[in-house]
Amino acid sequence: MQINKPIKEASTNELPLRVEKMAKKQRSILIVDDCHEDRQTFRRYLRSCSNYIYSVIESEYGEQALELCKILQPDCVVVDYSLPDMDGLEFLDKLRNTINQVDIPVVMLTGFGNEAIAVQAMKKGATDYLTKEQLTAENLLSTLQHALEKVELLWKLNLTQEQLKFQAYILSQVTDAVMVTEVKLIDEIKARIVYVNAAFTYMTGYSAEEVLGKTPSILNKHKTDPIVLEKISQAMANYQPVKVELINYRKDGSEFWSEINITPMLDESGECTNFIFVQRDISEQQAALRERKEAEAERQQLLTQEKACRAEAEASNRTKDQFLAIISHELRSPLNAILGWTKLIQGGKLDDLATARALATIERNAKLQNELIQDLLDFSRITEGKLRLELCPVDLTQIINAAIDVVRPLADAKTIAIESALEFTIGEVFGDANRLQQVMWNLLTNAIKFTPKQGQIAIWLQRDESYAQITISDTGIGISPDFLPNVFEQFCQADNQYTARHKGLGLGLAIVRSLVEMHNGSITAASDGEGQGATFTVRLPLHSN
């Protein structure tokens, strides 16, 4: 089993090139405008950018620009709505349908008061629009950066999907015991085992829990040849593959001959990240008198391993789907807040103070959503399921009040009253403000979702010894005693008519529990039964100066 660079093998020919280009921050921009002065202004604005190195291509006509898109494949197009040979909407149609360039972001330039045209452009596939009369270097660069990062994010996600497919393919081909260790030498105490497959357990009798964190020497005893072990250590020290045969020992003490292929696993930059041990039991080759019995045992072993590998491949696909669902759920909360407050502003019924408050809420949630998107670009964090916490002293009263402001439009739409009683003197907790606010959003959103119209939601903040205790109680549909123990499990939802009307992936409370536990806290749920409402209690350790 030779796997030198799995990440590159998993990618298409185009994806790595695209990612490498993104890393260099070099971008080509096609400016389509028949006004020479405007084009020169755009060039000057782009040269002032410190985040990207822009190479500018110019065109006065739409048809010429379409040919340039086909030949040069620019990273972004800035097009004026009014062109000599066509308008901006016709340009978008031809770009998307004729040339079929769906991954080139387009920023439309319109005149003042042409919001209706801008809306049509967005419907036809434009990434964003700008008004010429209000154009500045700052908003041009900001809009281009947003458009480019949106496309880059899609490419990153496509690359992640290709890698997951390749990993699933590897697992589907494995019929031997597989063990993965850290990079350090095999005879070092810290050279720990980080993964074993089901075939390893079948072969050795050790479960994953019994070997994770230990060294491969757990399989060695007095008959294991030290010369062979030294050969393995030398090969690993030089990051070279090696194939050996030696005697290993099962958990029950029985010995068996094993053929082992050890391969260094490299990342895209060529750095060794782990060692893969592929192990095969060759005892039957060493014991000719037991050939028939060993052959039958091997056949059964291969069947078992095949089933285990198929199950692992299916689990890998499910993990990919779960990952995408969780990311979707994390992005949904701030987006709902932005849309809710935007609709209220568009309705024209807010006074100046309420409008300012709405804009502040929109800005806060837009920033949070941008942070979540930036987290997606951290490939290692995504594939390993790690979340990074930005820890600092946090005032929970501000977190709770901000969360209430975000969900209040949803509550008002159902005439649900939200009451709060917050102790302002309990002190601070040490945590990630954005993640703690996400916990409050999810709990309050759940309460609103499962509380009928004209219901009530109450939230308390108080001190309980060295903990801050947050209690959220509602008058909603409640939780049945049978379902209560599973309320925080992933993809688990109560089976009743009300929840059936609220489609979801059942991830919200699972995410809440994970985030709370990452803050060294705990969360519990209580309910007197269906129709009796529910109460969720979050306990977080207070921060001591």
Side-chain angles (χ1 to χ4, degrees):
M1 179 178 179
Q2 301 294 326
I3 307 172
N4 291 329
K5 296 189 178 182
I7 294 180
K8 288 192 175 182
E9 292 295 330
S11 309
T12 64
N13 292 332
E14 187 178 10
L15 285 176
L17 296 176
R18 189 63 174 259
V19 174
E20 180 181 358
K21 183 179 181 183
M22 290 188 291
K24 293 182 179 179
K25 296 294 185 179
Q26 296 178 351
R27 303 292 183 270
S28 58
I29 306 296
L30 172 60
I31 299 175
V32 189
D33 196 318
D34 61 343
C35 177
H36 177 75
E37 291 76 14
D38 286 349
R39 297 198 305 273
Q40 292 304 309
T41 299
F42 298 153
R43 275 184 173 272
R44 186 173 67 256
Y45 287 168
L46 293 174
R47 283 197 298 268
S48 67
C49 180
S50 60
N51 294 330
Y52 294 98
I53 300 174
Y54 289 110
S55 60
V56 180
I57 311 160
E58 297 184 12
S59 177
E60 299 181 23
Y61 299 94
E63 288 293 343
Q64 182 188 40
L66 292 171
E67 288 298 318
L68 290 173
C69 285
K70 185 185 302 183
I71 298 171
L72 302 179
Q73 298 285 308
D75 294 307
C76 186
V77 177
V78 179
V79 59
D80 187 16
Y81 173 73
S82 300
L83 298 174
D85 56 343
M86 67 180 68
D87 62 34
L89 299 180
E90 184 179 357
F91 177 86
L92 283 170
D93 283 334
K94 290 187 176 182
L95 180 66
R96 301 307 186 202
N97 298 327
T98 305
I99 302 179
N100 196 28
Q101 290 296 327
V102 297
D103 61 340
I104 298 180
V106 177
V107 176
M108 180 76 70
L109 298 174
T110 65
F112 185 78
N114 288 337
E115 286 79 8
I117 293 176
V119 171
Q120 294 181 51
M122 298 293 284
K123 291 182 177 179
K124 287 183 175 291
T127 308
D128 210 338
Y129 72 93
L130 290 169
T131 303
K132 270 194 173 183
E133 287 76 0
Q134 299 178 345
L135 185 66
T136 65
E138 181 179 1
N139 60 25
L140 174 62
L141 294 176
S142 174
T143 300
L144 288 178
Q145 182 172 349
H146 169 75
L148 290 167
E149 289 178 348
K150 179 179 178 181
V151 173
E152 291 171 1
L153 175 59
L154 293 175
W155 278 94
K156 288 280 188 178
L157 290 176
N158 288 337
L159 179 58
T160 300
Q161 291 176 342
E162 291 295 327
Q163 291 163 342
L164 290 173
K165 289 178 181 178
F166 182 68
Q167 292 168 6
Y169 172 77
I170 293 175
L171 292 174
S172 69
Q173 301 301 307
V174 171
T175 57
D176 298 318
V178 175
M179 175 175 61
V180 181
T181 72
E182 293 178 332
V183 176
K184 297 182 180 179
L185 298 182
I186 191 170
D187 58 350
E188 292 183 2
I189 295 177
K190 295 183 179 179
R192 298 173 301 174
I193 299 171
V194 296
Y195 171 81
V196 294
N197 66 349
F200 177 90
T201 297
Y202 182 86
M203 180 181 294
T204 67
Y206 288 103
S207 66
E209 292 76 14
E210 292 173 314
V211 298
L212 293 182
K214 299 183 179 179
T215 69
S217 61
I218 192 175
L219 301 176
N220 306 147
K221 288 187 180 180
H222 59 280
K223 287 189 178 181
T224 304
D225 192 343
I227 297 178
V228 176
L229 293 179
E230 179 61 23
K231 180 180 179 181
I232 293 174
S233 295
Q234 290 298 324
M236 294 177 67
N238 295 314
Y239 305 107
Q240 294 177 345
V242 63
K243 180 179 178 180
V244 298
E245 294 181 1
L246 77 169
I247 295 177
N248 273 339
Y249 291 82
R250 301 182 180 90
K251 180 181 178 181
D252 61 7
S254 60
E255 62 182 50
F256 66 101
W257 276 92
S258 178
E259 178 190 88
I260 302 176
N261 283 277
I262 304 174
T263 306
M265 185 166 64
L266 308 180
D267 61 16
E268 286 182 312
S269 63
E271 294 293 327
C272 183
T273 60
N274 297 91
F275 285 102
I276 301 175
F277 291 65
V278 181
Q279 187 171 355
R280 177 173 298 173
D281 186 345
I282 58 170
S283 298
E284 67 275 32
Q285 299 176 13
Q286 306 295 325
L289 296 178
R290 302 172 57 190
E291 182 176 0
R292 290 186 60 184
K293 184 177 181 180
E294 292 291 339
E296 178 62 21
E298 183 183 18
R299 188 183 71 84
Q300 293 297 327
Q301 179 181 347
L302 291 176
L303 290 175
T304 302
Q305 291 175 354
E306 181 183 1
K307 292 179 181 178
C309 291
R310 187 183 302 115
E312 289 177 10
E314 293 172 354
S316 178
N317 283 330
R318 287 195 299 270
T319 299
K320 176 190 69 177
D321 295 336
Q322 292 171 4
F323 159 73
L324 295 175
I326 290 173
I327 293 303
S328 175
H329 191 279
E330 286 194 78
L331 294 174
R332 189 181 302 122
S333 294
L335 181 59
N336 286 341
I338 293 171
L339 293 175
W341 283 105
T342 301
K343 289 182 179 179
L344 290 176
I345 294 174
Q346 291 174 337
K349 297 181 180 181
L350 300 180
D351 56 23
D352 293 342
L353 182 60
T355 300
R357 178 183 173 191
L359 292 174
T361 303
I362 291 173
E363 181 183 14
R364 181 172 62 252
N365 285 279
K367 289 180 178 179
L368 175 57
Q369 190 174 49
N370 181 62
E371 292 174 4
L372 293 173
I373 293 175
Q374 291 302 319
D375 286 343
L376 292 175
L377 300 178
D378 186 354
F379 173 73
S380 64
R381 188 192 70 88
I382 295 172
T383 55
E384 296 176 10
K386 295 181 179 178
L387 290 174
R388 185 180 67 253
L389 295 182
E390 300 293 340
L391 299 177
C392 64
V394 176
D395 184 351
L396 286 177
T397 59
Q398 296 180 5
I399 295 294
I400 295 172
N401 284 328
I404 292 175
D405 288 342
V406 170
V407 302
R408 192 174 294 280
L410 299 176
D412 291 343
K414 296 179 67 175
T415 322
I416 294 175
I418 301 179
E419 298 178 359
S420 62
L422 311 179
E423 288 185 17
F424 293 86
T425 60
I426 67 169
E428 298 175 321
V429 300
F430 198 64
D432 186 316
N434 288 331
R435 296 300 181 183
L436 290 175
Q437 190 173 48
Q438 183 181 357
V439 170
M440 294 298 104
W441 285 337
N442 281 335
L443 291 176
L444 288 172
T445 301
N446 259 18
I448 293 171
K449 181 189 298 184
F450 297 110
T451 298
K453 292 183 178 181
Q454 299 182 344
Q456 292 183 334
I457 296 174
I459 180 168
W460 298 275
L461 171 63
Q462 57 191 7
R463 179 169 185 155
D464 184 8
E465 298 181 351
S466 61
Y467 286 83
Q469 182 167 297
I470 306 167
T471 306
I472 299 177
S473 182
D474 62 61
T475 60
I477 64 171
I479 306 172
S480 68
D482 292 337
F483 182 71
L484 191 58
N486 303 316
V487 71
F488 293 106
E489 297 297 326
Q490 290 186 3
F491 310 108
C492 191
Q493 292 180 315
D495 186 14
N496 59 53
Q497 295 180 353
Y498 192 86
T499 56
R501 296 197 302 268
H502 294 77
K503 295 182 178 179
L505 298 173
L507 290 170
L509 292 179
I511 293 173
V512 165
R513 180 177 64 176
S514 296
L515 292 177
V516 170
E517 291 177 351
M518 288 175 68
H519 286 81
N520 296 319
S522 63
I523 182 170
T524 58
S527 176
D528 291 334
E530 294 184 354
Q532 302 298 314
T535 299
F536 290 85
T537 302
V538 177
R539 286 169 56 85
L540 298 169
L542 289 169
H543 176 52
S544 173
N545 290 330

